[in-house]
């Protein structure tokens, strides 16, 4: 167990995840809606055209088109059909049991919310930067687990992370950490500190905005002996 000093350098709420709807995504989505020659649309106009095309469909139909693009192959046709109805009222990026799907359920809802002027749930994510000082070699491989443990230490015992994952925080395996952190980017590193930019759901990590500066212990996951068997 290693002790670290943590500083929350910046924090903001965001609606759209960085890189979530790139040109290629929008072109592919337009093609899925049988839009002719989407590659000829100016890049600055692609998103607007995509949203306009979605509104040619009923909300459930539009949701099915978007979900078919973002999560196809990971759920059955029937499951996606069910989600295309649930996404109208449910915060699937928070409530769906498969955490690995949360970022794609988020970006699907975000696009539909914009296209249909609020007929879908309003999304909210967090983007923040933290500096961690100490023996940072612990973050060289699979950094998500020790990072989530550090973040949990900066939040109250009543926070969702503690209530749902108290065992994983203390134990040697925290598989869910990689799905709690949606995007992780190393901003800078020295011999004794590392700075990360993190994107996640407000559902998980909103409370870190109150942390400012604190000290905490963390540990990396044990290497799975069965790995590669």
């Amino acid at each position: 167990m290693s002790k670290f000093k943590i500083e929350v350098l910046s924090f903001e709420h965001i609606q759209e995840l960085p890189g979530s709807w790139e040109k290629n995504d929008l072109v592919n989505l337009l093609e899925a809606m049988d839009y002719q020659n989407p590659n000829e649309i100016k890049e600055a106009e692609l998103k607007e055209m995509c949203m306009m095309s979605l509104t040619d469909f009923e909300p459930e139909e539009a949701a099915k088109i978007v979900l078919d693009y973002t999560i196809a192959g990971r759920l059955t046709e029937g499951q996606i059909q069910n989600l295309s109805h649930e996404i109208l009222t449910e915060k699937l990026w928070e409530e769906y049991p498969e955490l690995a799907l949360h970022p794609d359920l988020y970006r699907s809802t975000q696009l539909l919310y914009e296209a249909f002027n609020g007929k879908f749930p309003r999304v909210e994510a967090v983007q923040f930067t933290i500096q961690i000082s100490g023996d940072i070699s612990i973050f060289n491989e699979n950094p998500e687990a020790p990072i989530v443990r550090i973040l949990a230490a900066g939040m109250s015992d009543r926070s969702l992370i503690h209530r749902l994952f108290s065992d994983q925080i203390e134990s040697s395996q925290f598989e869910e950490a990689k799905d709690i952190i949606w995007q992780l980017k190393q901003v800078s590193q020295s011999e004794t500190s590392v700075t990360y930019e993190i994107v996640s759901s407000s559902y998980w990590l909103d409370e870190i905005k109150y942390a400012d500066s604190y000290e905490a212990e963390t540990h990396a996951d044990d290497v799975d002996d069965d790995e590669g068997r």
Side-chain angles (χ1 to χ4, degrees):
M1 186 81 73
S2 302
K3 180 167 275 190
F4 298 87
K5 181 182 178 184
I6 300 94
E7 292 181 80
V8 181
L9 304 179
S10 66
F11 181 96
E12 64 177 323
H13 292 107
I14 58 173
Q15 268 65 57
E16 185 168 345
L17 303 183
S20 60
W21 289 106
E22 303 283 10
K23 177 182 178 181
N24 189 54
D25 295 307
L26 297 168
V27 167
N28 289 339
L29 200 53
L30 282 164
E31 286 177 345
M33 292 184 278
D34 296 324
Y35 191 97
Q36 299 299 308
N37 304 315
N39 280 304
E40 295 177 6
I41 302 171
K42 293 178 181 176
E43 188 167 351
E45 299 170 4
L46 263 174
K47 187 176 179 183
E48 190 65 33
M49 187 59 68
C50 197
M51 292 193 295
M52 285 176 59
S53 297
L54 284 170
T55 58
D56 289 337
F57 299 87
E58 290 298 314
E60 293 88 347
E61 295 174 313
K64 176 73 163 51
I65 291 166
V66 174
L67 290 168
D68 275 337
Y69 178 70
T70 57
I71 59 176
R74 289 182 283 169
L75 293 178
T76 66
E77 182 70 17
Q79 286 172 316
I80 293 176
Q81 185 68 51
N82 288 339
L83 288 182
S84 69
H85 295 279
E86 292 173 14
I87 199 172
L88 267 163
T89 56
E90 305 296 322
K91 294 182 176 183
L92 294 177
W93 70 93
E94 297 178 356
E95 298 164 6
Y96 197 70
E98 290 189 40
L99 268 61
L101 294 179
H102 283 192
D104 282 323
L105 292 170
Y106 183 100
R107 70 182 183 125
S108 300
T109 310
Q110 174 259 313
L111 186 67
L112 292 162
Y113 175 87
E114 283 189 74
F116 285 88
N117 293 316
K119 283 188 179 179
F120 290 79
R122 183 179 182 274
V123 297
E124 186 173 79
V126 294
Q127 182 173 29
F128 58 94
T129 308
I130 60 165
Q131 180 176 287
I132 306 170
S133 301
D135 180 7
I136 60 170
S137 62
I138 194 174
F139 305 109
N140 287 347
E141 292 184 28
N142 303 316
E144 291 87 356
I147 288 174
V148 172
R149 290 184 177 106
I150 269 182
L151 294 172
M155 297 188 283
S156 75
D157 291 341
R158 298 182 304 279
S159 69
L160 201 62
I161 293 283
H162 282 286
R163 287 189 280 121
L164 295 183
F165 301 112
S166 59
D167 290 345
Q168 291 89 331
I169 290 169
E170 298 298 328
S171 74
S172 60
Q173 293 294 322
F174 196 167
E175 284 292 320
E176 297 86 352
K178 67 183 184 301
D179 296 321
I180 291 170
I181 292 181
W182 291 356
Q183 295 181 17
L184 179 67
K185 182 171 76 174
Q186 183 177 301
V187 177
S188 62
Q189 181 178 333
S190 69
E191 287 186 8
T192 58
S193 71
V194 60
T195 300
Y196 290 109
E197 183 182 82
I198 295 170
V199 174
S200 180
S201 170
S202 297
Y203 185 65
W204 296 123
L205 299 180
D206 187 67
E207 198 181 309
I208 200 66
K209 67 187 176 188
Y210 302 118
D212 191 26
S213 177
Y214 61 100
E215 290 189 350
E217 294 182 339
T218 190
H219 59 279
D221 279 1
D222 288 347
V223 176
D224 188 351
D225 292 335
D226 294 330
E227 205 168 276
R229 184 179 285 180

